[in-house]
Amino acid sequence: MNRNILITGGAGFIGSHVVRLFVNKYPGYNIINLDKLTYAGNLANLKDIEDRPNYKFIKADICDYDRMREIISSNQIDGIIHLAAESHVDRSIKDPFTFARTNVMGTLSLLQAAKEYWESLQEKYKGKLFYHISTDEVYGALALTHPEGVVAPFTTKASSEDDMAYGTEFFLETTKYNPHSPYSASKASSDHFVRAYHDTYGMPTIVTNCSNNYGPFQFPEKLIPLFINNIRQGKPLPVYGKGENVRDWLFVEDHARAIDLIFHKGKVAETYNIGGFNEWKNIDLIKVIIKTVDRLLGNPEGYSDHLITFVTDRLGHDMRYAIDSRKLQAELGWEPSLQFEEGIEKTVRWYLDNQDWMDDITSGDYLTYYREMYSL
């Protein structure tokens, strides 16, 4: 089946994995990667597929409504997977206007452009889909009710003593929205616009909310790649507060598989939560990263422990996120493919084996090369 799929934010961390998966798995699809190439967009993430005949890159801003209309119409887009977003909480605290513009108005621009084109067709919305990727942060925060951990009843290996959670409450698809940061507020607003376009105009839409992603090609302002790089260079590891905040971690390739599955088999107007069944306190996660990096670098155990530096806590720092993915498991059969220990080992090895990629990011050289290539 020939399809024309627009993937926004496809040069970013999660987006590049989704683009690669679709280009490789569906040679009959035309995959259009649309990205503004802000600081977090890096076309080097897709160097292995940039010459494929079913792949095309377009540099554009999703807030440019006229440009979105032209791109969607001229490429006869029948499916949109919308990942483009500002996503770093610290940046949203310093500059909330950029987050509102990109995450809210950019999403609205895409929705309206898709609506206009699809409603102009004889078949209208038949065979069309607007798939919006969101975050678990829209739900707010969960209480850290069991500091010692309790066995989570819905984990993939619920009988295992290793499957520990930090509370008895989890985010469901029906959990009330309660965003606490400018970032999560902007994503919550965009979620509401997507659902409103279904309810008002009948546009086929799906929304998914995912937990923290980790894996190759993540921009090194995020915790895991930042700390891997800092350990390699002997730099401090800044830990907010006491490091007791808890996050559920999802390997990015598992997220990409879930997006593929939901795009093709998910029910229109539904919401699906995508989580990794892997809750970790930040400080415990950091110790695992230190131990893994030191071992792979040949350092003695405990060699980099002194790099941990506790800093003033983030404003409005949510204590705990935890996704309940049972709906996705029950309806579509998805579950994570990797246990966290395997995923973090694979991730650390990738960053250590791709130090040139990391050095290009931290130096800013990655921006120059592709701007020259595409005359940007």
Side-chain angles (χ1 to χ4, degrees):
M1 179 181 178
N2 292 323
R3 298 197 66 173
N4 300 316
I5 310 299
L6 180 68
I7 301 177
T8 71
F13 170 43
I14 300 172
S16 63
H17 286 275
V18 176
V19 167
R20 179 179 295 102
L21 175 62
F22 272 66
V23 168
N24 288 332
K25 187 174 180 179
Y26 302 106
Y29 287 12
N30 296 309
I31 305 301
I32 296 91
N33 171 13
L34 187 150
D35 201 293
K36 187 181 177 182
L37 293 184
T38 59
Y39 74 95
N42 184 3
L43 288 172
N45 297 352
L46 293 165
K47 198 171 181 63
D48 56 319
I49 57 102
E50 63 185 8
D51 295 325
R52 296 291 181 84
N54 64 330
Y55 170 74
K56 178 169 71 172
F57 170 72
I58 298 175
K59 182 181 184 294
D61 183 350
I62 59 173
C63 295
D64 186 341
Y65 173 56
D66 290 336
R67 185 81 169 108
M68 293 306 100
R69 293 172 63 203
E70 186 274 325
I71 290 170
I72 291 172
S73 175
S74 63
N75 290 280
Q76 299 181 324
I77 299 298
D78 53 65
I80 297 173
I81 301 177
H82 178 35
L83 291 124
E86 295 284 349
S87 65
H88 193 50
V89 174
D90 287 348
R91 289 178 182 265
S92 81
I93 293 170
K94 295 177 181 178
D95 181 15
F97 287 98
T98 295
F99 281 69
R101 177 181 181 273
T102 300
N103 296 351
V104 183
M105 297 307 296
T107 300
L108 182 57
S109 173
L110 277 171
L111 285 165
Q112 186 66 15
K115 171 185 175 295
E116 180 180 293
Y117 172 62
W118 289 342
E119 288 189 345
S120 73
L121 303 175
Q122 183 175 1
E123 71 273 18
K124 296 191 181 298
Y125 288 124
K126 184 178 180 181
K128 310 299 188 293
L129 181 64
F130 191 105
Y131 178 179
H132 176 65
I133 284 79
S134 188
T135 172
D136 56 0
E137 296 191 39
V138 299
Y139 297 126
L142 297 170
L144 189 61
T145 53
H146 291 273
E148 300 302 320
V150 295
V151 176
F154 60 84
T155 54
T156 53
K157 295 170 63 180
S159 61
S160 171
E161 294 180 358
D162 293 330
D163 291 323
M164 306 298 282
Y166 292 91
T168 56
E169 185 181 5
F170 301 88
F171 293 139
L172 303 170
E173 287 81 359
T174 54
T175 297
K176 181 180 177 180
Y177 275 29
N178 187 26
H180 292 155
S181 71
Y183 162 59
S184 56
S186 68
K187 290 298 290 184
S189 179
S190 66
D191 294 3
H192 292 320
F193 269 109
V194 172
R195 295 188 178 101
Y197 265 67
H198 171 267
D199 295 346
T200 303
Y201 306 111
M203 179 183 287
T205 64
I206 290 176
V207 176
T208 56
N209 301 85
C210 70
S211 57
N212 282 25
N213 280 222
Y214 72 97
F217 298 111
Q218 188 170 26
F219 193 80
E221 68 182 357
K222 298 301 179 85
L223 188 153
I224 290 178
L226 173 66
F227 280 33
I228 293 171
N229 196 43
N230 282 12
I231 294 167
R232 178 171 70 92
Q233 297 183 343
K235 294 181 178 180
L237 307 177
V239 182
Y240 282 126
K242 297 180 181 179
E244 294 181 344
N245 302 75
V246 175
R247 297 295 181 262
D248 172 26
W249 292 91
L250 172 66
F251 189 61
V252 65
E253 292 178 10
D254 283 332
H255 188 191
R257 287 193 306 104
I259 290 171
D260 174 25
L261 184 63
I262 293 165
F263 181 80
H264 289 96
K265 296 185 178 180
K267 297 179 182 177
V268 168
E270 288 288 345
T271 298
Y272 298 93
N273 281 346
I274 310 172
F277 301 107
N278 272 300
E279 289 187 66
W280 286 80
K281 283 186 179 181
N282 285 345
I283 190 62
D284 294 335
L285 170 67
I286 291 162
K287 290 177 180 177
V288 170
I289 295 171
I290 292 172
K291 185 176 181 179
T292 305
V293 175
D294 277 343
R295 173 171 51 81
L296 293 177
L297 289 179
N299 296 330
E301 186 169 349
Y303 180 81
S304 299
D305 288 350
H306 70 283
L307 297 175
I308 294 176
T309 305
F310 294 98
V311 299
T312 302
D313 206 356
R314 168 192 285 164
L315 295 174
H317 200 179
D318 293 334
M319 180 54 70
R320 173 176 171 255
Y321 305 143
I323 284 280
D324 182 339
S325 295
R326 283 180 292 179
K327 176 179 176 179
L328 182 57
Q329 285 185 317
E331 293 188 6
L332 300 182
W334 175 91
E335 63 180 29
S337 66
L338 296 179
Q339 295 298 311
F340 184 75
E341 290 77 6
E342 182 182 0
I344 202 68
E345 177 89 10
K346 185 175 181 179
T347 299
V348 171
R349 284 185 180 277
W350 187 88
Y351 285 104
L352 294 181
D353 289 343
N354 290 272
Q355 292 181 15
D356 289 344
W357 179 91
M358 178 67 80
D359 292 341
D360 283 346
I361 295 287
T362 54
S363 69
D365 290 346
Y366 74 106
L367 295 171
T368 303
Y369 175 74
Y370 279 99
R371 281 176 177 164
E372 290 176 353
M373 174 181 288
Y374 287 93
S375 299
L376 302 177

